[in-house]
Amino acid sequence: MSQSAASSAPPAAGLIQPAIEVRRLHKSFGKLDVLKGVSLTVPEGEVVSVIGPSGSGKSTMARCICRREEINKGEIFLYGKRVDGSNHSNRDIARLVGMIFQQFNLFPHLSVMDNLTLSPINIRGLSKEEAVENAMGLLKRVGLEEKKDARPGELSGGQCQRVAIARALAMNPKIMLFDEPTSALDPELVGEVLDVIADLAGSGMTMMIITHEMVFAKEVSDRVVFMDEGNIMEQGSPAKIFSCPDAPRTRLFLQRMLAPLGKDFSGESGSEACGHES
Amino acid sequence: MNLDFSAITPYLHMLLTGAKVTLQASLLAVFFGSVFGTLVGAMRVSPIAPLRSVAAAYIYTIRGTPLLIQLFLIYFGLPSLGLNLPAFAAGIIGLSINSSGYVGEIVRGGIEAVPKGQWEASKVLGLSYIKTMRFIILPQAIRNMLPAIGNEFVTLIKESSLLSTLAITELTMVGQQVRSVTYASFETFIAVGIIYLVMTSSTSLLLQYVEKKWQVG
């Protein structure tokens, strides 16, 4: 179910380049094949949600895209530039891609403000004043400007994740990757983080969101990708994936995820209802 | 048996001078040992494999051999290579090298105790290895390490008594001199022991205070 043109030539110059292009990506940890030839293209401005069971390779794919993992085979392009080799420094990737982790990974010994300004000053080369001004704007955007002098340890999980999002945005990235951004949060704190992500999605940022929040994925994304056992099994519009998925595995997964919520996007007899869809 | 401390009171100031030398030697050794040990510890966790091996071998050798032998090698061994060191210098060098092996292991532990996510976040934010170490990892690692470095200092105060074998007039050496004059062996070494105890326990207290201050910040 690959969207990519599956040719090994670099993307042609002059055309509008997709923000992210992954071609036949293989990644294994020892004997465990985690990604088995995944191909995926994300045009600029698109919001893609990646869903699927634990261990399906969702996080590994995101970590390969931002070069947190070396890949075994395949190619990764960001805006037409190949980035899977060793000729790209952390610095180049950091200015292009922001990543949000499940565990926030804020720097506990620094204030919220210092968390937001450390990298812009050191990597983007902003002056302290510029970085602080920029950070204040971002803290306002995530609703935490009054916490600028707090240490991460004084914040709730939801506030930490909002600070982490602001910190990633402070690098002014073109692409944001979210690796299960709400999985470590208490249920009552999930909403505030999803609100911030939804706000960002509305602003035209290219985003890849790995999530188990099905309702959120349905509402916020332009496209939903379902991964299982290291492959992309199916992808399509949220309406399509959540109401009439083609693959039996997708159906099974969605039933399991949605049953405890008392929600069923696909109706009693999902596949039959889909037969007549335009 | 009757203890008579009056026999050694005229020599108390000598013991205190010896204690001063002990403190000086321990302070210098913990300083140089920490500087060098931090280097060794950073090598021990470096991404470059040969550096890791060298540091590992160094720590292994230093911790696996007696301090006394290390001191003898430097003071009695090096002259055969044409390197004659004054006793105090040889003593400080020996103690520092010995301490650096232990501090190296403490630093390694302190760095490895910083959660992996801190490295990840730093890398994703574009920070280089050196900048990540400097701004993110070491400030957190030092907090993890401080109690162990403090213990190392306390250990050095005690271990420095071995410097007496190089005829350095630190506390233990002075104790032997006082004993040979007064023949009050028991009283002399009880006094020496008490002075050591005062030095180690006040150092511990001081370190606990510093640790508390750090934890708040």
Side-chain angles (χ1 to χ4, degrees), chain A residues 63 66 68 90-91 94 97 99 101 105-109 118-119 122-123 151 167 171, chain B residues 116-128 131 135-137 139-140 143 217:
Chain A
R63 292 167 59 81
C66 70
R68 285 305 298 117
N90 294 337
R91 204 175 253 265
V97 186
M99 177 137 186
F101 303 92
N105 295 344
L106 292 179
F107 304 133
H109 61 300
L118 178 71
S119 214
N122 276 285
I123 308 301
R151 294 288 173 112
R167 181 176 70 175
M171 285 301 282
Chain B
K116 221 178 133 222
Q118 297 289 307
W119 285 100
E120 299 233 294
S122 308
K123 207 165 180 189
V124 165
L125 287 169
L127 296 174
S128 64
K131 281 188 171 157
F135 293 123
I136 307 302
I137 305 300
Q140 295 182 62
R143 255 175 245 204

Side-chain angles (χ1 to χ4, degrees), chain A residues 10-32:
Chain A
L15 298 174
I16 297 170
Q17 305 288 4
I20 306 172
E21 186 172 359
V22 176
R23 291 184 188 171
R24 296 185 311 280
L25 173 59
H26 287 263
K27 172 70 189 174
S28 51
F29 294 104
K31 282 182 181 162
L32 184 69

Side-chain angles (χ1 to χ4, degrees), chain A residues 37-60:
Chain A
V38 171
S39 295
L40 180 71
T41 305
V42 182
E44 173 147 53
E46 195 181 45
V47 177
V48 177
S49 289
V50 183
I51 61 171
S54 300
S56 57
K58 311 180 298 279
S59 291
T60 305

